[in-house]
Amino acid sequence: MSKEKTDQLNRSIIEFYDRLSAWENNVVRNKDYSLAQIHTLEVLGTYGSLRMKELAEKLGITTGTLTVQVDKLAKAELVERIPHESDRRSFLIKLTETGHQLYLEHDALHLKLTEKISQSLTETEAQTLVSCLKKMNADF
Amino acid sequence: MSKEKTDQLNRSIIEFYDRLSAWENNVVRNKDYSLAQIHTLEVLGTYGSLRMKELAEKLGITTGTLTVQVDKLAKAELVERIPHESDRRSFLIKLTETGHQLYLEHDALHLKLTEKISQSLTETEAQTLVSCLKKMNADF
DNA sequence: CTCTTTATTTTGACAATCAAACAAACTACC
DNA sequence: GGTAGTTTGTTTGATTGTCAAAATAAAGAG
């Protein structure tokens, strides 16, 4: 791909990321749970139960930070620590029923946003977009 | 678009956002400036000089938070407050030469990432992707 | 069995954030 | 003009999020 095209793609990605990021901030403000907490639920909902280390990696934070975050979420009964079956050093962090409910609520907002911003795409464009995103996610 | 396809698109977007977000966190950790600060420079570099309110909106934070952030950036001489020409309540927040330099440095990392994750896209796919992103950015 | 590596927690210090209250400047309407 | 209401940015006080480094505990290697 030409330098110029990559540059254009880069711009568009950054702008898209910025907008999504601002949207997340605003959606979460004045709610009962913070962005960091909702984001944690979001990742758990998306990827399923994860170990501390895996979860921290997906969130881009250290395990130290995550420990206190999970403490809070566990106290609020949104999440529970399940002892790992074969590694006694580890837990699986798992959404509780309530946590999963909250995740679904937040996800519904995402879905509404996705509907809104994809409205002007044609069927084929949307198709290609999904396949591009999947490829990119795989190459991260 | 079918419910199912929108849902698939939603999933892909969320996953893409999560990955990018974790990447940003990791790129910035152990550097001289925090994610919030780099993000501010990034937005200023992308959109040019902005007023406090506009900048806060693009960042998804309140103007109160931004005031202290801009104070720090101004102290580090990455940014300066230019009095607004027609509204004496306002400033334009503008990257200094050093600030712009730092923005370019960070942007280069983004570009490298974009190259990496777009490697397996065909020329046409990339073309469509850019046009999709642009449309979506416009409809946010 | 000892040493090293890995997973998680704890700690102490600092940074980011918000909501609410404020001051200054703008706008619109009489 | 003058005044009432709005907008813009700052300050304040409290809370939350974050990291690096050190501690703990288990797993794995030799």
Side-chain angles (χ1 to χ4, degrees), chain A residues 29-30 52-53 63-64 67 81 89-90:
Chain A
R29 194 171 11 253
N30 275 334
M52 290 295 286
K53 195 181 181 211
T63 55
T67 293
R81 277 183 242 244
R89 294 169 306 177
S90 284

Side-chain angles (χ1 to χ4, degrees), chain A residues 28 33-42 59 61 69 73:
Chain A
V28 145
Y33 301 99
S34 71
L35 179 56
Q37 292 174 332
I38 294 291
H39 196 202
T40 305
L41 300 186
E42 189 173 287
L59 291 168
I61 61 179
Q69 210 53 256
L73 288 171

Side-chain angles (χ1 to χ4, degrees), chain B residues 29-30 51-53 63-64 67 71 81 89-91:
Chain B
R29 194 172 9 256
N30 276 335
R51 295 151 69 127
M52 291 294 286
K53 194 177 181 212
T63 54
T67 293
D71 283 349
R81 277 182 241 244
R89 293 168 308 178
S90 285
F91 306 94

Side-chain angles (χ1 to χ4, degrees), chain A residues 49-107:
Chain A
S49 304
L50 296 169
R51 295 151 69 128
M52 290 295 286
K53 195 181 181 211
E54 299 167 327
L55 183 52
E57 263 164 22
K58 294 228 183 280
L59 291 168
I61 61 179
T62 63
T63 55
T65 301
L66 184 57
T67 293
V68 342
Q69 210 53 256
V70 167
D71 284 348
K72 278 183 215 160
L73 288 171
K75 198 163 188 179
E77 300 197 332
L78 297 174
V79 127
E80 51 188 337
R81 277 183 242 244
I82 313 277
H84 194 281
E85 45 184 28
S86 63
D87 186 341
R88 275 185 301 160
R89 294 169 306 177
S90 284
F91 305 95
L92 282 182
I93 312 303
K94 182 173 179 287
L95 290 176
T96 60
E97 190 43 42
T98 323
H100 193 247
Q101 214 51 47
L102 194 53
Y103 157 68
L104 289 179
E105 252 171 61
H106 180 72
D107 199 53

